Amino acid sequence: MTTSYSFAVVFHILIIFSSISSFPSGETKNGDREMRLELIHRHYMDDVSAPKTQYDKVKDLVQDDLIRVRMLYGRISRYHYDNGKVGKHSSAIIITTTKASNSSAVLPISSAAYKGIGQYFVQFRVGTPSKKFTLIVDTGSDLTWINCRYRCKKCTSRTRMNDHRIFQAARSLSFKTIPCSSNLCKNLTFSFVTCPSKRDPCQYDYGYQDGSTAHGFYAYETVTMSLTNGRKTRLHGVPIGCSYSTSTGTLGVVDGILGLGYNDNSFATKATAKFGNNFSYCLVDHLSPKNVSSYLTFGYSKHLVSGSSPPTNLQFTNIQAIDGLYHVNIVGISIGGLVLKIPSEIFSFQNQGGVILDSGSSLTFLVEPAYKTVMKYLMAAFTKFKQVKDESFEFCFQSQGFHESAVPKLVFHFADSVRFEPHLKSYVIDVSDGVKCLGFIPNAWPGISIIGNIMQQNFLWEFDLKWKRLGFAPSTCT
């Protein structure tokens, strides 16, 4: 990868855990429940920071994405090295269904792109009594953790420090450490291989590619979720991480991470087992103001597609979970109705390729053979526009006189004749006043391609964990 592509984007999603005194049961007479979490763009939290230009924001996003891609590629490389053996990060997961399989819980989502970094927050609640925290929601991670203190005599007893909330675990009636000697500890992500003592909690050491780290131990906790009927419900015995040490970097602005990766102990699996075995999100335009929101939903997503109850316009394709990541079966890419000549092994995980859908990456990454072909055909549509040099993207242009009708339609072709037609604004993106760029970043081959969440914006995405399907449909997300 050349220096001209030395910046990239990460879109995470943040969740805030808030305090509740008392509430009735979440059950209704007909069993219809929904749990909602509001998705708030990360920069909603940074109003006091110095304003950035749109160009600076895009550069920051690109840098974060490149860091994330290296992390994801490292995980997949280790999986290939282990020859796909079933282990901690395997996709061999048994989903336990519940009687309330058509109920759902929802968290509102909104964009904070005006702050410069492509992440999303939601409100989330943990502990007894429940407390509020701001977490990044990440489909590329199966570890859920919060900044935490527990039985530490020299540690602060405050609930906030350096603009971060701190979970004082000893004050929670539902907090219970997971022993290092337990079988569960052996199967939890990034847990230590050896135990200092059998009575010690199960510890972890999680490193992120931007230099951020999270050290802590696992515990069972109670999570409080809002339902669309206005009531609340609790999830008991959820494994979470109590992080007593975190470094700067991506983690410097949050209270923790909500892992939605595919793992038998991840929050996504625990929540969907109660609310219908699926979860979904709908990301508003990444340039939307902070008062525009959508939802991260656990359970049936019937309220998220306008005019459909339940959704009838969802297309479905198979999805495969490998090492906690969501792989989609793409068979080709077309531009303007022309199917591009891209080698089939590019889209095959078995051949060191493959494509993942990732809410934690902002831009779309294509491995070199696919990237060069897609860029060649798209750039041909902009020959009449003056090209602008940019250090983050290969092709940018002055957009005076630009009209969408001049751009050929980009289509990702999934197996079973399913087509994903992203909105033009998702791949011809605004980087500054009067300047647009083709929002693709090259990735080395062999390697993975990533459909980032700018490409996903204004679509409803539904992950069916029981039947291993991915459903999607256009939506305003509001």
Side-chain angles (χ1 to χ4, degrees):
M1 189 175 298
T2 65
T3 56
S4 61
Y5 314 124
S6 59
F7 296 91
V9 183
V10 175
F11 258 105
H12 292 297
I13 303 172
L14 294 178
I15 293 191
I16 305 174
F17 285 77
S18 89
S19 189
I20 294 181
S21 54
S22 62
F23 45 82
S25 167
E27 298 289 346
T28 61
K29 292 181 179 180
N30 60 7
D32 185 18
R33 297 175 297 152
E34 284 192 343
M35 181 181 72
R36 290 186 172 182
L37 291 174
E38 183 172 10
L39 284 174
I40 307 167
H41 196 280
R42 163 179 172 169
H43 303 300
Y44 179 86
M45 311 298 291
D46 299 332
D47 284 339
V48 297
S49 61
K52 293 183 177 180
T53 66
Q54 174 68 13
Y55 181 72
D56 288 336
K57 295 174 188 177
V58 171
K59 285 178 60 178
D60 288 343
L61 294 178
V62 175
Q63 178 61 50
D64 285 344
D65 258 5
L66 285 175
I67 291 169
R68 182 178 180 85
V69 167
R70 290 196 294 270
M71 177 188 71
L72 296 175
Y73 181 71
R75 285 175 55 181
I76 291 176
S77 296
R78 288 192 296 272
Y79 182 92
H80 281 300
Y81 180 80
D82 292 337
N83 201 27
K85 294 179 181 179
V86 174
K88 285 186 181 182
H89 311 294
S90 166
S91 60
I93 296 174
I94 299 174
I95 299 294
T96 303
T97 60
T98 64
K99 292 182 179 180
S101 61
N102 65 341
S103 60
S104 10
V106 186
L107 300 168
I109 302 175
S110 62
S111 175
Y114 60 89
K115 291 291 185 178
I117 301 176
Q119 296 179 325
Y120 286 83
F121 308 138
V122 292
Q123 293 188 353
F124 209 77
R125 303 174 177 97
V126 65
T128 306
S130 63
K131 300 297 180 181
K132 178 174 64 176
F133 295 93
T134 301
L135 306 184
I136 291 175
V137 179
D138 186 2
T139 60
S141 173
D142 49 20
L143 170 63
T144 294
W145 62 264
I146 55 178
N147 292 321
C148 178
R149 299 292 183 270
Y150 182 66
R151 294 181 178 175
C152 178
K153 295 181 180 179
K154 296 183 179 180
C155 297
T156 179
S157 60
R158 292 182 295 174
T159 57
R160 292 190 70 92
M161 185 172 63
N162 297 329
D163 295 326
H164 296 297
R165 296 177 179 87
I166 299 174
F167 182 50
Q168 298 293 344
R171 301 176 187 176
S172 172
L173 299 177
S174 51
F175 187 85
K176 182 180 180 182
T177 61
I178 297 175
C180 182
S181 58
S182 65
N183 289 330
L184 177 61
C185 182
K186 299 175 184 178
N187 293 312
L188 287 170
T189 304
F190 299 102
S191 57
F192 287 176
V193 176
T194 59
C195 292
S197 167
K198 290 184 179 181
R199 292 177 297 178
D200 287 343
C202 178
Q203 299 187 56
Y204 60 84
D205 186 355
Y206 199 110
Y208 297 85
Q209 286 296 316
D210 64 349
S212 299
T213 57
H215 309 280
F217 60 90
Y218 284 101
Y220 293 113
E221 251 301 5
T222 294
V223 172
T224 299
M225 311 295 286
S226 298
L227 305 175
T228 51
N229 61 14
R231 299 185 179 185
K232 311 289 181 182
T233 191
R234 292 188 178 106
L235 301 180
H236 300 286
V238 177
I240 66 167
C242 173
S243 288
Y244 50 78
S245 174
T246 58
S247 66
T248 57
T250 301
L251 308 182
V253 297
V254 299
D255 300 328
I257 300 288
L258 180 75
L260 293 181
Y262 194 62
N263 179 287
D264 50 1
N265 292 301
S266 74
F267 182 81
T269 305
K270 297 297 183 182
T272 56
K274 179 169 184 174
F275 293 106
N277 304 305
N278 59 24
F279 73 90
S280 61
Y281 57 76
C282 197
L283 301 180
V284 297
D285 189 307
H286 70 288
L287 297 177
S288 296
K290 62 183 180 182
N291 62 337
V292 177
S293 65
S294 184
Y295 294 95
L296 167 66
T297 304
F298 296 93
Y300 211 35
S301 56
K302 64 183 180 179
H303 293 278
L304 293 183
V305 178
S306 178
S308 298
S309 181
T312 58
N313 58 341
L314 287 175
Q315 298 184 79
F316 286 95
T317 185
N318 292 333
I319 193 169
Q320 186 177 14
I322 302 174
D323 198 34
L325 303 174
Y326 297 102
H327 292 251
V328 291
N329 188 8
I330 286 182
V331 296
I333 300 174
S334 66
I335 294 178
L338 175 66
V339 178
L340 305 182
K341 293 182 179 180
I342 299 173
S344 59
E345 59 264 25
I346 295 296
F347 307 117
S348 171
F349 177 77
Q350 287 71 23
N351 291 318
Q352 309 293 310
V355 183
I356 65 171
L357 194 76
D358 182 32
S359 71
S361 299
S362 295
L363 297 175
T364 290
F365 284 73
L366 299 175
V367 291
E368 286 281 0
Y371 172 84
K372 290 179 179 179
T373 304
V374 168
M375 292 294 290
K376 173 185 175 181
Y377 280 87
L378 282 179
M379 286 190 298
F382 301 100
T383 55
K384 70 176 184 178
F385 295 96
K386 183 178 179 180
Q387 189 170 349
V388 177
K389 291 185 178 180
D390 185 86
E391 60 183 356
S392 301
F393 300 98
E394 178 180 358
F395 186 84
C396 300
F397 62 96
Q398 292 183 356
S399 59
Q400 289 83 357
F402 171 79
H403 193 274
E404 292 187 1
S405 61
V407 184
K409 191 68 178 179
L410 172 72
V411 178
F412 292 92
H413 297 265
F414 292 87
D416 303 322
S417 302
V418 174
R419 296 159 53 97
F420 167 46
E421 302 182 19
H423 303 289
L424 179 66
K425 64 182 180 180
S426 299
Y427 54 94
V428 181
I429 64 175
D430 294 306
V431 298
S432 62
D433 290 341
V435 177
K436 295 180 182 290
C437 296
L438 296 181
F440 297 92
I441 301 292
N443 198 17
W445 171 254
I448 58 169
S449 296
I450 300 171
I451 298 177
N453 62 24
I454 290 181
M455 194 69 74
Q456 299 174 43
Q457 67 185 350
N458 291 129
F459 272 77
L460 168 67
W461 298 91
E462 182 174 275
F463 297 75
D464 188 330
L465 302 188
K466 180 180 180 181
W467 300 108
K468 296 180 174 60
R469 302 190 307 170
L470 173 70
F472 59 94
S475 175
T476 62
C477 299
T478 57

